[in-house]
């Protein structure tokens, strides 16, 4: 079976978050099920060097935003179809925003073009390759099913995956004609979302299958608390909605071979983690002789991630002998709160503000626990990396975090299956309460190691989920 993945990010080429990790890893996992994937991506500056190794397989004069050519290239073992439209994608900085942080004003054209190119590949094929399934990811690709339904040609079936329903791609109604969308579909049963054009809304209305990235989030987004206004749309489509848990690339994230670590280790040599901790301490100026737990945070700094609440608990962590190492970027107020914490508690709190893939690996390798106090979390990947690295996740009971971490309650501890700490109340007092439980368990070295081993045994790869996607594709193609 042939599947065209359509996305705005794909690791290791372009990444702002978990979407990239998933799009980067899923095709390899699917290849084990005889699924031949190609990934359609915008040719951002980081992908431009690949263009000269590829070959042009299509050109379009009338995409939203003008001309674009498709270049087929194989890189890092995956077949990429790069949408080369320099007027749309050859821009500095993040994929979605200007260097000063505001959204590019023509994002509707940029991602409208991506979706329309996807629909054309799906309908006409390129280089003698035509997909059986088009799998679009998030709002940036969400018009793909709409363009497919709009065509009068026989189209392959479409799947739309929601990686985070908070990001919906909402634009003024006037862009409808610029995008070549049918004016008579501008109503609440199709493309309209409260007077605007909704990219994600439209995709959800027209996709043949809808998935999201954990079973728990699939239920949560049917409610007003988590659905972000799209719960009604999703309720009308529950027949085609399912939750398939994300996996991780267990080769890239393997503590026994990870080149970013000072010392590799496995479940039988957990003592070696201290050498990674020493490297972290060196980089962040932390006290190398501290005996309490080292907590890490690797995250976008946003309210979604609950890091505003976490910042208030730093004195509590330090008072109980813990250390905190943070890697993140985002909201300026949250960043300032952690900068202040670094100044107030030198030797106990350290941070790198920015994006650093290698340091993210080292933090997983050297920390004792990873803090993820998210207010909502579709799946979450950093807790899965934490499990794999024996770095116990401390997570809010939401979305995929609840699906993947087994709380260290009395029953789970006695059954030796606890893998982390789960709590309900994302507030300073709620986080302090769970931290108290972490400090207690950390003091019991044997018990802590038992939890680390249970965490490292947990299956966090793609095997099960690749099977679930394969099944979904098969069901759709009959
Ligand atoms: P989200 O997609 O909501 O940001 P996820 O947990 O699903 O959250 O995925 C986040 C991914 O981005 C993980 O691979 C994590 O390691 C990585 N990450 C987040 N912030 C940073 C950072 N500052 N530097 C390096 N990697 C980061």
């Amino acid at each position: 079976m042939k599947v065209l993945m359509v996305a705005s990010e794909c690791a290791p080429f372009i990444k702002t978050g978990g979407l990239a990790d998933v799009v980067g890893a899923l095709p390899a996992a699917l290849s084990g099920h005889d699924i031949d994937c190609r990934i359609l991506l915008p040719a951002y500056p980081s992908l431009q060097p690949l263009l000269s190794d590829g070959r042009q397989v299509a050109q379009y004069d009338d995409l939203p935003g003008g001309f674009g050519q498709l270049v087929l290239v194989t890189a890092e073992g995956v077949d990429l179809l790069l949408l080369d439209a320099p007027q749309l994608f050859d821009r500095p900085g993040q994929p979605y925003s200007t260097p000063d942080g505001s959204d590019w004003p023509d994002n509707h054209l940029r991602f409208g073009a991506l979706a329309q190119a996807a629909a054309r590949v799906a309908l006409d094929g390129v280089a003698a390759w035509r997909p059986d399934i088009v799998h679009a990811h998030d709002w940036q690709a969400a018009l793909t099913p709409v363009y497919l339904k709009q065509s009068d040609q026989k189209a392959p079936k479409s799947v739309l995956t929601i990686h985070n329903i908070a990001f919906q791609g909402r634009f003024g109604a006037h862009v409808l004609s610029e995008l070549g969308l049918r004016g008579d579909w501008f109503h609440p049963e199709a493309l309209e979302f409260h007077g605007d054009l909704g990219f994600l809304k439209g995709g959800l209305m027209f996709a043949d299958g809808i998935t999201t990235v954990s079973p728990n989030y699939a239920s949560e987004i049917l409610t007003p608390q988590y659905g972000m206004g799209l719960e009604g749309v999703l309720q009308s489509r529950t027949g085609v909605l399912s939750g398939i848990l994300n996996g991780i690339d267990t080769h890239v994230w393997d503590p026994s071979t990870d080149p970013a670590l000072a010392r590799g280790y496995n479940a039988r040599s957990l003592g070696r983690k201290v050498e990674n901790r020493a490297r972290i301490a060196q980089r962040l100026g932390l006290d190398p002789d501290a005996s309490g737990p080292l907590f890490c945070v690797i995250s976008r700094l946003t309210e979604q991630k609950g890091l505003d609440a976490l910042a208030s608990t730093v004195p509590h962590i330090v008072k109980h002998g813990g250390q905190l190492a943070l890697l993140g970027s985002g909201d300026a107020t949250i960043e300032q709160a952690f900068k202040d914490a670094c100044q107030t508690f030198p030797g106990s709190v350290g941070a790198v503000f920015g994006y650093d893939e290698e340091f993210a690996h080292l933090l997983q390798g050297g920390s004792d626990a990873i803090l993820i106090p998210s207010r909502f979390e579709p799946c979450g990947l950093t807790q899965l990396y934490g499990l794999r690295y024996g770095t116990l996740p401390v997570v809010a009971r939401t979305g995929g975090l609840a699906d993947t971490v087994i709380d260290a309650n009395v029953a789970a501890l006695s059954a030796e299956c606890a893998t982390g700490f789960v709590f309900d109340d994302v507030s300073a007092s709620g986080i302090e309460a769970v931290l108290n439980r972490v400090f207690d368990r950390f003091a019991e070295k044997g018990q802590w190691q038992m939890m680390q081993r249970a965490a490292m045994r947990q299956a966090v790869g793609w095997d099960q989920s690749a099977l679930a996607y394969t099944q979904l594709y098969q069901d759709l193609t009959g």
Side-chain angles (χ1 to χ4, degrees):
M1 185 176 335
K2 300 190 196 71
V3 175
L4 177 68
M5 297 278 174
V6 192
S8 58
E9 297 183 30
C10 174
F13 309 107
I14 176 82
K15 169 170 168 177
T16 71
L19 165 68
D21 289 327
V22 173
V23 175
L26 182 56
L30 290 171
S31 69
H33 296 271
D34 263 346
I35 293 180
D36 166 24
C37 288
R38 289 190 178 175
I39 308 173
L40 175 60
L41 277 179
Y44 305 112
S46 63
L47 284 143
Q48 299 234 327
L50 296 177
L51 292 173
S52 55
D53 297 334
R55 71 186 162 102
Q56 190 203 63
V57 290
Q59 66 177 61
Y60 309 116
D61 294 322
D62 55 351
L63 295 175
F67 174 83
Q69 64 165 348
L70 283 182
V71 174
L72 176 62
V73 63
T74 303
E76 306 281 342
V78 288
D79 292 330
L80 303 175
L81 279 167
L82 300 179
L83 177 57
D84 181 27
Q87 77 283 13
L88 298 176
F89 299 118
D90 189 8
R91 299 181 187 180
Q94 293 284 316
Y96 316 122
S97 50
T98 62
D100 70 15
S102 39
D103 288 347
W104 289 109
D106 58 350
N107 270 348
H108 61 291
L109 296 177
R110 301 172 76 226
F111 297 106
L114 179 71
Q116 201 169 103
R120 295 203 193 171
V121 173
L123 293 167
D124 304 330
V126 282
W129 188 94
R130 185 170 180 263
D132 304 295
I133 292 280
V134 186
H135 188 161
H137 297 265
D138 266 352
W139 77 263
Q140 294 90 344
L143 284 188
T144 309
V146 180
Y147 286 126
L148 289 177
K149 282 280 166 9
Q150 204 174 269
S151 138
D152 43 23
Q153 285 172 255
K154 185 169 167 10
K157 299 288 185 191
S158 61
V159 175
L160 176 60
T161 294
I162 305 165
H163 294 260
N164 190 339
I165 207 163
F167 304 115
Q168 300 185 353
R170 193 168 161 176
F171 301 95
H174 63 280
V175 306
L176 209 71
S177 59
E178 288 176 63
L179 292 168
L181 293 166
R182 278 175 58 164
D184 62 334
W185 280 0
F186 190 70
H187 58 79
E189 300 303 311
L191 304 177
E192 183 190 343
F193 188 58
H194 301 292
D196 287 335
L197 165 67
F199 272 44
L200 188 60
K201 156 91 190 262
L204 294 175
M205 292 306 296
F206 288 101
D208 298 303
I210 301 171
T211 68
T212 189
V213 289
S214 69
N216 192 30
Y217 194 59
S219 309
E220 287 177 342
I221 54 180
L222 296 173
T223 68
Q225 188 185 349
Y226 294 100
M228 308 266 173
L230 287 171
E231 60 276 7
V233 174
L234 287 163
Q235 282 161 15
S236 74
R237 305 232 58 210
T238 47
V240 299
L241 170 67
S242 61
I244 301 178
L245 198 65
N246 282 338
I248 62 170
D249 186 326
T250 50
H251 298 291
V252 173
W253 293 90
D254 180 348
S256 65
T257 57
D258 192 331
L261 302 191
R263 186 81 192 267
Y265 61 92
N266 60 32
R268 289 177 308 282
S269 54
L270 282 160
R272 295 183 189 164
K273 267 175 90 79
V274 294
E275 294 182 43
N276 299 314
R277 179 170 180 167
R279 177 75 63 85
I280 296 168
Q282 198 179 20
R283 170 138 183 209
L284 297 180
L286 299 179
D287 173 4
D289 300 319
S291 58
L294 171 64
F295 296 95
C296 72
V297 171
I298 305 163
S299 185
R300 291 186 289 118
L301 305 182
T302 64
E303 279 194 22
Q304 176 200 335
K305 302 289 181 178
L307 297 177
D308 48 322
L310 180 70
S312 329
T313 70
V314 172
H316 190 83
I317 293 176
V318 176
K319 189 171 113 195
H320 289 79
Q323 291 182 320
L324 177 66
L326 176 136
L327 168 63
S329 63
D331 184 284
T333 317
I334 299 176
E335 191 166 316
Q336 190 57 49
F338 284 103
K339 276 189 183 142
D340 293 345
C342 293
Q343 286 210 320
T344 312
F345 302 107
S348 294
V349 181
V352 170
F353 298 103
Y355 194 87
D356 186 336
E357 189 75 33
E358 222 172 285
F359 194 47
H361 283 244
L362 182 64
L363 284 174
Q364 295 280 9
S367 303
D368 297 297
I370 179 162
L371 301 176
I372 315 172
S374 304
R375 294 194 167 89
F376 65 94
E377 193 62 74
C379 177
L381 293 176
T382 55
Q383 85 280 12
L384 302 179
Y385 301 139
L387 292 168
R388 178 114 171 109
Y389 281 61
T391 301
L392 300 184
V394 182
V395 304
R397 193 187 314 279
T398 186
L401 299 175
D403 279 332
T404 53
V405 179
I406 301 172
D407 181 58
N409 57 41
V410 177
L413 284 170
S414 66
E416 303 194 358
C417 64
T419 59
F421 301 85
V422 187
F423 68 101
D424 290 285
D425 174 18
V426 180
S427 68
S429 60
I431 297 172
E432 287 177 3
V434 73
L435 287 172
N436 291 342
R437 294 205 288 131
V438 178
F439 284 116
D440 287 348
R441 294 283 72 78
F442 188 76
E444 307 276 340
K445 284 288 167 256
Q447 206 169 50
W448 188 268
Q449 282 205 353
M450 180 187 83
M451 287 181 67
Q452 287 180 299
R453 289 199 200 93
M456 293 175 86
R457 275 197 307 272
Q458 189 164 322
V460 288
W462 274 103
D463 292 354
Q464 291 226 337
S465 302
L467 198 62
Y469 279 114
T470 306
Q471 189 64 55
L472 171 68
Y473 299 154
Q474 283 169 349
D475 290 348
L476 286 171
T477 52

